[in-house]
Amino acid sequence: MKNMNQSQSSLMSLKQALEKILADITPIDMVETLTIIDAFGRVLAEPITSPLNVPPYQNSAMDGYAVRSADLPDSGDISLKLIGTSWAGTPFAGEVGEKQCVRIMTGAKMPEGANTVIMQEQVQVNDQQISIGDCHQAGQHVRHIGEDIKEGDVVLQPGKSLNAAELGLLASLGIAKVKVYRPLKAAFFSTGDELRAVGETLEEGQIYDSNRYTIFGMLKGQGVEIHDLGVIRDKREDVEAAFKRAAELADIVFTSGGVSVGDADFVKQTLEKLGTVNLWKIAMKPGKPLAFGRIDKAYFFGLPGNPVSAMATFYQVALPALHKLMGKTPQPALRLKLRCLDTLKKRPGRIDFQRGILDYEGDELVVRGVGAQGSHILSSMSRANCFIILSAEQGMVEAGSEVEVQPFSSLM
Ligand code: AMP
Ligand code: MG
């Protein structure tokens, strides 16, 4: 179909496609209240205000002796009387008077009267007397009330992913339960008469379906509830039934294959019947064709069939959309500028997500290409640990020049 071969100038930029897609997406509004353990990995749906000061009382940052700053000598040494101990969890009950001190442990409450801690290494102990020199500063080694967090401070905003630090932070405030967005439900299926599922025997002209497994893996890492609808034949009724079922089950539907020019085009026709669809040619490599739209209340992404294109399009286009739908506040994706040791083939026109390998050369983090960059070569994704992002304008990359790199670990 020659007339559908669009020229480069009619391609849409990745940036423009992303803007259009994100503008179309409204985050889910269903929330649930969970214990912080069950909320791990979820997206927070409420602001968290601190009910207390952290630390809640003045305490020592060191193992040592709590003293009054007024007793610190300007010169020479001074002797102080040891009157007790403040343990972490069991504070000293009395007050530190003139020329007195209290043995204190890290995290233990500062006793009344004392405002300064002398490290134990800087003290000479002689029975119930200690001797300290003139090298100390008033107020040193004391952690103050509310130094980390003040009562009433907003410590977490809605949209924040609850990871290890957030769980610890919530626990440190005594917060046992939080409101989070419910997990997204995602459904996917592959389209193609040539596709067979693992476990089946391949006949002439058939290949195994790999996209359902990469899509499963990419979604799993996002904490999404998964509905795998299998392989669907390139048959109008089958495709239509699969879309209907997917839209009933899920908030977001992914398919792969059947969106390229000259293909059976069932995907597009079916979607035009069931909902709305935009079929775009994005100026990106790999992964030019992409369908995006709605089927009933569900969002729909029609990823390209080629396995590398499906993955690249998922990470670069679908993932930001998935995050917005989950209620997540967008985070800038990590990008590094590194020296590329290989020459990379590239023609100006489309932004290119080549597969690269990040590694150290001595002390320097550098990147290499993985070799063959075909959009059907899935082993290149497995050998790689990063995308090398080459701008649309960029031509051939000379070995030794600087390139922009996006580690896979920052996407997963
Ligand atoms: P399509 O977009 O349907 O024209 O497919 C483009 C290429 O990707 C063809 O070589 C297909 O055989 C291949 N392909 C499509 N879907 C899959 C899949 N689920 N797993 C592996 N390869 C696929
Ligand atoms: Mg196909």
Side-chain angles (χ1 to χ4, degrees):
M1 290 192 177
K2 267 221 170 67
N3 61 328
M4 296 185 80
N5 271 338
Q6 298 179 20
S7 66
Q8 299 283 20
S9 61
S10 69
L11 300 182
M12 186 188 290
S13 75
L14 174 60
K15 190 166 171 276
Q16 208 184 351
L18 265 174
E19 278 168 7
K20 279 177 182 284
I21 290 169
L22 292 176
D24 224 43
I25 288 185
T26 314
I28 53 162
D29 56 6
M30 279 175 68
V31 301
E32 52 191 345
T33 302
L34 296 180
T35 66
I36 57 175
I37 286 286
D38 290 333
F40 181 75
R42 294 288 199 88
V43 180
L44 189 64
E46 61 174 345
I48 300 292
T49 304
S50 178
L52 41 86
N53 288 304
V54 180
Y57 47 85
Q58 268 202 353
N59 68 88
S60 177
M62 296 281 175
D63 288 338
Y65 294 84
V67 305
R68 302 160 66 99
S69 59
D71 287 339
L72 295 174
D74 291 332
S75 61
D77 290 357
I78 190 174
S79 186
L80 302 175
K81 183 165 190 267
L82 186 59
I83 59 165
T85 302
S86 183
W87 304 95
T90 312
F92 176 73
E95 185 174 344
V96 178
E98 230 175 290
K99 301 272 168 62
Q100 292 183 333
C101 71
V102 158
R103 174 99 175 99
I104 193 162
M105 307 304 161
T106 304
K109 187 168 186 286
M110 286 293 285
E112 289 295 313
N115 63 355
T116 300
V117 171
I118 313 293
M119 280 166 74
Q120 59 188 20
E121 293 82 351
Q122 296 177 339
V123 167
Q124 272 168 14
V125 188
N126 194 348
D127 197 16
Q128 294 306 301
Q129 294 285 325
I130 69 161
S131 171
I132 60 174
D134 56 9
C135 58
H136 304 289
Q137 277 171 12
Q140 70 184 14
H141 307 318
V142 174
R143 299 169 179 162
H144 295 282
I145 295 173
E147 192 180 292
D148 183 358
I149 297 163
K150 288 192 181 47
E151 186 182 332
D153 278 356
V154 175
V155 289
L156 294 173
Q157 295 285 0
K160 182 88 178 165
S161 286
L162 300 178
N163 296 317
E166 289 72 32
L167 249 53
L169 179 59
L170 290 165
S172 77
L173 302 178
I175 294 172
K177 290 183 170 183
V178 286
K179 280 200 179 83
V180 291
Y181 291 104
R182 72 154 167 79
L184 279 189
K185 295 179 205 165
F188 53 85
F189 57 88
S190 297
T191 67
D193 285 337
E194 77 282 28
L195 302 176
R196 289 295 172 273
V198 290
E200 293 178 6
T201 310
L202 291 186
E203 306 287 336
E204 190 71 22
Q206 298 177 343
I207 57 167
Y208 283 118
D209 170 16
S210 57
N211 288 346
R212 261 186 317 128
Y213 293 85
T214 48
I215 292 172
F216 166 85
M218 292 185 291
L219 287 171
K220 195 74 182 167
Q222 301 300 321
V224 167
E225 188 184 302
I226 287 170
H227 300 269
D228 180 352
L229 304 187
V231 178
I232 307 297
R233 300 275 162 262
D234 287 324
K235 224 172 107 199
R236 193 176 308 277
E237 309 83 74
D238 293 5
V239 171
E240 192 172 324
F243 273 121
K244 280 190 179 145
R245 186 158 139 66
E248 274 165 24
L249 282 171
D251 305 297
I252 187 162
V253 178
F254 296 93
T255 66
S256 72
V259 289
S260 42
V261 174
D263 208 313
D265 255 351
F266 293 131
V267 170
K268 186 161 189 252
Q269 289 169 19
T270 310
L271 279 161
E272 275 168 352
K273 199 165 142 197
L274 299 179
T276 55
V277 64
N278 296 292
L279 196 59
W280 291 326
K281 294 190 145 287
I282 300 180
M284 78 179 265
K285 202 180 161 200
K288 202 158 44 165
L290 173 82
F292 170 70
R294 307 280 299 247
I295 322 162
D296 207 6
K297 283 196 217 69
Y299 292 95
F300 162 71
F301 278 95
L303 306 173
N306 272 310
V308 179
S309 308
M311 288 192 81
T313 312
F314 181 93
Y315 281 131
Q316 302 302 334
V317 187
L319 196 56
L322 191 75
H323 285 167
K324 184 168 182 194
L325 190 57
M326 284 178 180
K328 237 185 199 181
T329 305
Q331 295 287 318
L334 177 63
R335 289 183 179 200
L336 309 167
K337 287 235 162 93
L338 298 177
R339 208 156 59 88
C340 180
L341 300 191
D342 292 329
T343 300
L344 303 177
K345 278 192 219 153
K346 163 89 167 67
R347 257 187 272 149
R350 294 195 261 157
I351 186 171
D352 197 348
F353 294 89
Q354 298 204 5
R355 275 71 67 211
I357 301 170
L358 281 172
D359 201 1
Y360 282 95
E361 170 122 318
D363 285 344
E364 188 191 0
L365 188 61
V366 293
V367 67
R368 292 183 170 81
V370 289
Q373 293 279 347
S375 59
H376 57 297
I377 300 179
L378 188 53
S379 61
S380 72
M381 276 304 282
S382 176
R383 276 200 306 283
N385 58 11
C386 66
F387 284 119
I388 301 171
I389 306 178
L390 305 176
S391 71
E393 305 75 45
Q394 168 88 49
M396 171 107 161
V397 174
E398 303 287 351
S401 45
E402 202 176 62
V403 292
E404 197 169 38
V405 163
Q406 190 176 50
F408 286 167
S409 58
S410 69
L411 294 164
M412 285 156 189

